[in-house]
Amino acid sequence: MRDVARLAGVSHQTVSRVLNNHPNVRQETRDRVVQAMEALNYRRNLAARTLVTRRSGTLGIVGFESTLFGPASMLYAIEDAARAAGYFVTVATVRRLDRQSVLDAVDRLAQQSVEGIIAISPKPSVTNALVQVASLLACVGVGAAGDDAVPTVRVDNRAGAALATRHLLDLGHATVHHVAGPPDWPEAVERVDGWRDTLYAAGAVVPPVHPREWTARSGYEQGQRLAADPAVTAIFCANDQIALGVLRALHEAGRRVPDDVSVVGFDGMPDSEYFLPPLTTVRQDFAELGRRSIDMLLRKIDSTGQPAEHMLLEPELILRDSSGPARI
């Protein structure tokens, strides 16, 4: 800093003010300091800054090794929101979503002096692990409901499933079949609940559910069973990947979409617009999820002792060509 100050012809306190965006610096002086920093290839020493301010400017993210669209999109959205807020990000991934693996990941992040942690928490075991460290480090869970001690941000899966189911009922379908996700994922269970409650409210028959995986293969296998039943005219899929498999099974069985069977997905994958036909789907706003989770974490860092917040984000139904009126 003293080298920069000498080259710019200012005090090292002025250089510090420029680095910290202090308003009481003339623009001409600020420009001169920035030019001196660029000429000397100056980078602030973050380790030294952490020692002085006790703020590292770094947030930790606990993710898990997955190619699923939802969790991967959450990770990218949180990273983007953290950068926009002026923070660096350190990511620790786990292979298993069990309590000890999450605690180990939190410990690795804490050793890097992160100011707070956001955990992608599709299962209760993740949020339960955060409860143990919530009194020592600011934490936020993203993706699933959890303990009252830990703030959470998540999409309203019940509301999203209700949107999809009501849309198909409003098109004149007598009932809606559901191809569900894994039974040990709260998001999948909530989508089943939203679908089932909407059918009950409409007085419609509630078909049986056979929970499987989040994959296109699972959708394809269950789609083959549904395609063989001529009474099936509407299918709500727990995610867009499952819907992709269902669409193929229907095509192979000669069931036209949406003329014979309407299909709706969940997630709003960008690729779903290019399915054949383009998929009607319930869109999650992952960018908003990232922004809200970062805002919540920063509030938690700055105001310890405050009660945990729990935020539900409303999803959006995107209408495309895979859903249409029931044939009379």
Side-chain angles (χ1 to χ4, degrees):
M1 285 178 62
R2 293 186 184 278
D3 291 338
V4 171
R6 188 178 302 111
L7 182 60
V10 298
S11 67
H12 74 275
Q13 290 93 340
T14 298
V15 176
S16 178
R17 292 190 190 99
V18 172
L19 287 169
N20 291 292
N21 293 317
H22 198 282
N24 295 335
V25 180
R26 290 186 303 172
Q27 188 60 47
E28 178 187 354
T29 302
R30 188 182 302 276
D31 293 342
R32 204 160 66 244
V33 170
V34 170
Q35 290 171 6
M37 289 169 57
E38 293 174 349
L40 294 172
N41 196 28
Y42 172 82
R43 298 290 184 275
R44 69 167 62 190
N45 187 323
L46 291 179
R49 180 176 180 270
T50 298
L51 289 173
V52 173
T53 65
R54 299 187 181 277
R55 299 288 292 264
S56 65
T58 302
L59 303 177
I61 302 177
V62 177
F64 66 102
E65 296 181 5
S66 172
T67 58
L68 292 173
F69 174 74
S73 297
M74 288 180 193
L75 176 60
Y76 297 143
I78 294 166
E79 283 187 295
D80 285 345
R83 283 195 295 268
Y87 281 81
F88 295 99
V89 169
T90 297
V91 180
T93 58
V94 296
R95 291 185 177 179
R96 295 186 303 276
L97 290 171
D98 60 84
R99 184 170 171 275
Q100 190 56 53
S101 296
V102 175
L103 288 174
D104 291 343
V106 169
D107 184 61
R108 294 199 303 273
L109 293 170
Q111 291 177 32
Q112 299 180 52
S113 301
V114 297
E115 295 184 30
I117 288 177
I118 291 180
I120 297 172
S121 51
K123 294 188 178 182
S125 56
V126 179
T127 318
N128 293 340
L130 295 182
V131 173
Q132 184 169 329
V133 299
S135 61
L136 305 173
L137 190 63
C139 299
V140 169
V142 177
D147 192 281
D148 285 343
V150 178
T152 57
V153 183
R154 60 195 181 96
V155 168
D156 192 335
N157 290 289
R158 285 184 175 86
L163 280 174
T165 308
R166 278 198 301 269
H167 166 64
L168 291 167
L169 292 175
D170 289 345
L171 288 171
H173 297 279
T175 190
V176 179
H177 291 256
H178 182 46
V179 182
D184 59 338
W185 283 59
E187 290 174 321
V189 174
E190 290 169 359
R191 292 171 196 179
V192 171
D193 290 343
W195 160 79
R196 181 183 288 121
D197 290 348
T198 305
L199 291 181
Y200 278 138
V205 172
V206 180
V209 179
H210 307 280
R212 295 281 293 277
E213 301 300 322
W214 290 117
T215 63
R217 175 184 289 276
S218 175
Y220 176 70
E221 292 170 352
Q222 295 197 65
Q224 288 178 309
R225 173 179 56 81
L226 293 172
D229 183 353
V232 173
T233 65
I235 303 173
F236 164 49
C237 301
N239 74 356
D240 291 348
Q241 288 173 295
I242 289 174
L244 177 62
V246 168
L247 288 174
R248 175 172 173 176
L250 291 170
H251 173 73
E252 290 181 353
R255 303 292 301 277
R256 297 170 299 167
V257 178
D259 294 344
D260 300 322
V261 183
S262 288
V263 178
V264 177
F266 201 113
D267 275 347
M269 286 173 53
D271 290 348
S272 65
E273 184 178 357
Y274 299 96
F275 289 3
L276 191 62
L279 183 68
T280 295
T281 184
V282 177
R283 176 179 173 268
Q284 302 189 63
D285 190 341
F286 291 107
E288 184 67 12
L289 197 71
R291 287 191 292 270
R292 295 296 184 93
S293 62
I294 290 294
D295 288 346
M296 186 177 287
L297 181 61
L298 296 182
R299 286 197 298 273
K300 188 67 175 176
I301 291 171
D302 293 333
S303 57
T304 56
Q306 295 295 315
E309 303 174 69
H310 300 286
M311 184 177 295
L312 276 176
L313 302 183
E314 290 298 317
E316 175 188 10
L317 181 66
I318 305 298
L319 299 178
R320 299 197 183 107
D321 296 343
S322 68
S323 57
R327 297 180 67 182
I328 305 300

